[in-house]
Amino acid sequence: MTEEARKAGTHRLLLADEAATLRLAADIAAILKPGDIVALSGHLGSGKSLLARAILRELARDPTLEAPSPTFTLVQSYETAHGAVLHADLYRVRSPDELDDIGLVEDIDRLILLVEWPDRAGTRLPAARRLDIVLDVDPDNPETGRIADLSGGVLWKQRLAIAVASRRLLDAAGWGEARRDFMLGDASTRAYERLTRPNGESAVLMISPPRPDGPPIRLGKPYSALAHLAENVEAFVAMDRGLRSLGYAAPEILAEDLTTGLLILENLGNEGVIDAERQPIAERYEAAARLLADLHRHTLPAILPVAEGIDHAIPEYDRQAMAIETELILEWYAPHIAGATLPAVTQAEFARIWSKLFDEILAQPATWTLRDYHSPNLIWLEGREGHARLGLIDFQDAVLGHPAYDLASLGQDARVDVPASLELRLLAAYGAARRADTPDFDLAGFARAYAILGAQRNTKIAGIFARLDKRDGKPDYLKHLPRIEGYLRRNLDHPALEELKSWYQAHMPKLFETEAADESNPRPD
């Protein structure tokens, strides 16, 4: 491939045999979605129909699907797990105008289109949506080998780069034959796949491309920069190796592509810290509290190595970061959930109250704050001993902050109802472990910081969940809001937050309506 082709975003793949072509089909099918066009070009016998049929079988999740070539029918339609798919062969089309007769470009936003001989369509196939695959016989391996040149329009460039880089990493690391099953994606750009080798061995592919900058909102910086969210996968790698060096069960990194943002990770399993009814398993939550106490007794570095010549400086959880998070409740929860219109002077009073609280927090020594230390990111490893029984994931946004923050994340789990009685047990377990190491540990002062940071975190989460619903069209997050509101009220009852509670009562009274309803209809013990 020429240098010009590389600069233009073309990726050349050598397909040694039919199995390699089938793997390419699986990789492509995994990332297709309605509105995508896969344009297959190449001479007769180059393998277009083989690749198209393999993609269709992957989309349909049916390895026996016949998928005959539409050379004479021009178009074949399929209903698949990914939605409607059209497979077209335009070899017999003589003019792009003929496409109007067969309805090929109608409802294009709602289906996946596989097109052989796409040049016959002229300009009827939108360039931005196209993934172009040009196939040719490999002259060095003419019997079974093929060359595939892949390039994509603007909607394809990052997806294509990730797909190609993922395949290269998997092949190089010895996971090329593994089955790939989508696990989940979170509220960010990250996604995860479970890799399973034919012998049953498994790992996890973490896909974490560099974070795109959002619009600047303050000081010329986007929200992610102000809140110190990880910009690339290097933060995860640094924290992972830092935690493992202390004996904690962060996943081993088996292979990495730092440029694209890909990691193959040890699969720690699926056993969590909640039971089948999604209730906290108290002993496991207490183990998580004691792990934090053990972590916080260490003197921890602020700079961690990533790779040769690359270091990661853990950012400080500073006033700017904590403030920009609390303001989310003003921007999203207040108008869309609480129905409150807050004038500038009221918002300024909110900021003034929080600034005084932040003074208290920032006056204390900082430590590693993993930031999302709650049930989705804690894995129970029954066969291990000590603190290694608790697997840790999702710590790439770690900062240097007050040690109470992570315990508040655990004791006020955003996705699980943690009773106040268990929360007190966690504080007691943490305090006892800290005092065993430092007899003069100030538990009362820690509990005060816990309430402040619990209020800060739940204020942030209330804003985020409202934003996910209103801006991002993800209403499922609203089901967690009553829990978040309950935690926030629980924190506001602490004497340290009396002024903040008065502000909420005056300007967001809806927050306390649920509390009143609960009191009038108490739950049975």
Side-chain angles (χ1 to χ4, degrees):
M1 181 170 53
T2 66
E3 184 63 25
E4 291 75 12
R6 274 191 291 269
K7 290 180 179 178
T10 299
H11 303 267
R12 170 159 290 187
L13 304 179
L14 297 180
L15 308 175
D17 50 28
E18 184 173 320
T21 300
L22 298 181
R23 285 195 295 273
L24 173 60
D27 293 346
I28 293 170
I31 57 175
L32 286 176
K33 56 188 179 182
D36 287 340
I37 301 169
V38 180
L40 300 165
S41 302
H43 299 298
L44 287 169
S46 60
K48 298 186 297 299
S49 295
L50 172 64
L51 182 58
R53 185 178 299 110
I55 293 173
L56 282 167
R57 287 173 173 169
E58 289 288 340
L59 292 172
R61 297 177 185 171
D62 180 0
T64 65
L65 182 71
E66 285 194 24
S69 174
T71 302
F72 296 101
T73 58
L74 296 184
V75 178
Q76 294 274 81
S77 63
Y78 300 86
E79 287 298 326
T80 75
H82 291 247
V85 180
L86 290 186
H87 178 202
D89 185 328
L90 306 185
Y91 181 70
R92 296 193 302 116
V93 170
R94 294 293 174 256
S95 167
D97 293 337
E98 294 180 34
L99 301 185
D100 297 332
D101 298 328
I102 61 176
L104 186 65
V105 294
E106 295 177 5
D107 299 324
I108 200 167
D109 290 339
R110 292 186 288 180
L111 51 83
I112 295 169
L113 184 57
L114 307 180
V115 184
E116 299 181 48
W117 302 95
D119 55 303
R120 309 294 173 89
T123 60
R124 297 296 186 93
L125 303 177
R129 298 174 178 273
R130 284 176 57 154
L131 168 62
D132 279 283
I133 304 178
V134 181
L135 294 165
D136 202 354
V137 174
D138 182 356
D140 296 327
N141 181 18
E143 289 291 326
T144 60
R146 296 294 183 268
I147 298 172
D149 287 329
L150 286 70
S151 59
V154 64
L155 300 179
W156 265 99
K157 287 190 180 299
Q158 185 182 60
R159 277 195 292 163
L160 179 57
I162 291 171
V164 172
S166 298
R167 172 49 55 194
R168 287 176 174 157
L169 181 66
L170 293 169
D171 288 345
W175 289 87
E177 300 295 329
R179 188 179 74 247
R180 301 170 61 178
D181 295 307
F182 179 75
M183 292 173 64
L184 57 90
D186 53 27
S188 71
T189 56
R190 288 184 297 275
Y192 301 86
E193 295 179 10
R194 180 181 293 104
L195 308 175
T196 307
R197 282 176 167 155
N199 65 1
E201 185 180 0
S202 69
V204 173
L205 174 64
M206 176 177 174
I207 303 169
S208 182
R211 180 189 297 274
D213 281 341
I217 60 173
R218 185 172 299 169
L219 303 175
K221 297 179 180 180
Y223 174 85
S224 60
L226 294 167
H228 302 314
L229 303 180
E231 300 293 336
N232 54 51
V233 79
E234 292 174 7
F236 180 95
V237 172
M239 291 304 304
D240 183 276
R241 290 176 175 153
L243 290 165
R244 287 178 60 82
S245 73
L246 295 170
Y248 303 119
E252 181 183 358
I253 298 173
L254 306 176
E256 62 190 53
D257 175 350
L258 298 181
T259 301
T260 309
L262 303 171
L263 301 174
I264 299 178
L265 304 173
E266 172 191 9
N267 186 358
L268 295 178
N270 301 314
E271 182 71 21
V273 295
I274 59 177
D275 62 22
E277 284 72 45
R278 296 195 56 76
Q279 297 301 308
I281 300 174
E283 294 77 11
R284 296 181 184 183
Y285 270 67
E286 288 187 72
R290 287 191 290 269
L291 185 153
L292 286 176
D294 185 74
L295 175 66
H296 297 159
R297 71 181 177 82
H298 291 90
T299 299
L300 299 168
I303 298 177
L304 292 169
V306 177
E308 186 68 32
I310 303 175
D311 290 328
H312 171 65
I314 305 174
E316 295 180 6
Y317 203 12
D318 53 24
R319 184 185 306 272
Q320 175 181 267
M322 289 190 287
I324 202 71
E325 290 178 338
T326 59
E327 291 169 14
L328 290 171
I329 203 169
L330 305 178
E331 183 178 0
W332 297 100
Y333 179 94
H336 303 301
I337 305 298
T341 301
L342 303 176
V345 64
T346 302
Q347 296 191 39
E349 179 68 3
F350 180 84
R352 181 195 65 77
I353 295 169
W354 272 115
S355 185
K356 288 170 56 181
L357 295 169
F358 294 154
D359 287 341
E360 288 192 41
I361 299 302
L362 294 171
Q364 302 300 314
T367 187
W368 288 1
T369 299
L370 304 185
R371 216 170 183 180
D372 280 309
Y373 193 80
H374 57 170
S375 58
N377 301 328
L378 300 173
I379 299 171
W380 191 251
L381 303 170
E382 189 64 48
R384 303 192 189 185
E385 299 292 332
H387 296 304
R389 289 180 303 170
L390 201 69
L392 307 176
I393 60 174
D394 199 17
F395 37 69
Q396 60 279 331
D397 293 328
V399 288
L400 297 173
H402 194 287
Y405 187 93
D406 280 344
L407 190 64
S409 301
L410 177 71
Q412 298 182 0
D413 196 314
R415 289 171 173 78
V416 176
D417 291 324
V418 180
S421 58
L422 176 56
E423 189 177 4
L424 289 174
R425 285 175 61 180
L426 300 181
L427 276 163
Y430 178 92
R434 289 298 303 271
R435 280 182 168 165
D437 184 67
T438 308
D440 61 349
F441 174 72
D442 180 11
L443 184 56
F446 182 87
R448 180 181 177 93
Y450 178 100
I452 294 171
L453 290 169
Q456 189 273 347
R457 177 173 171 81
N458 287 293
T459 294
K460 172 187 74 171
I461 294 173
I464 288 174
F465 286 178
R467 183 179 68 186
L468 285 165
D469 170 54
K470 186 66 177 180
R471 187 193 71 182
D472 302 335
K474 298 178 178 179
D476 282 354
Y477 284 89
L478 295 182
K479 67 186 179 186
H480 299 297
L481 265 183
R483 180 183 306 114
I484 301 304
E485 293 163 341
Y487 289 149
L488 180 53
R489 291 192 299 267
R490 191 184 295 179
N491 291 305
L492 291 174
D493 282 338
H494 193 284
L497 295 164
E498 182 178 359
E499 187 177 17
L500 183 63
K501 182 176 181 178
S502 296
W503 185 95
Y504 272 114
Q505 288 174 325
H507 303 293
M508 289 190 202
K510 185 175 177 61
L511 176 65
F512 298 89
E513 290 178 5
T514 306
E515 180 182 38
D518 289 344
E519 289 175 354
S520 62
N521 296 285
R523 280 185 274 178
D525 293 330

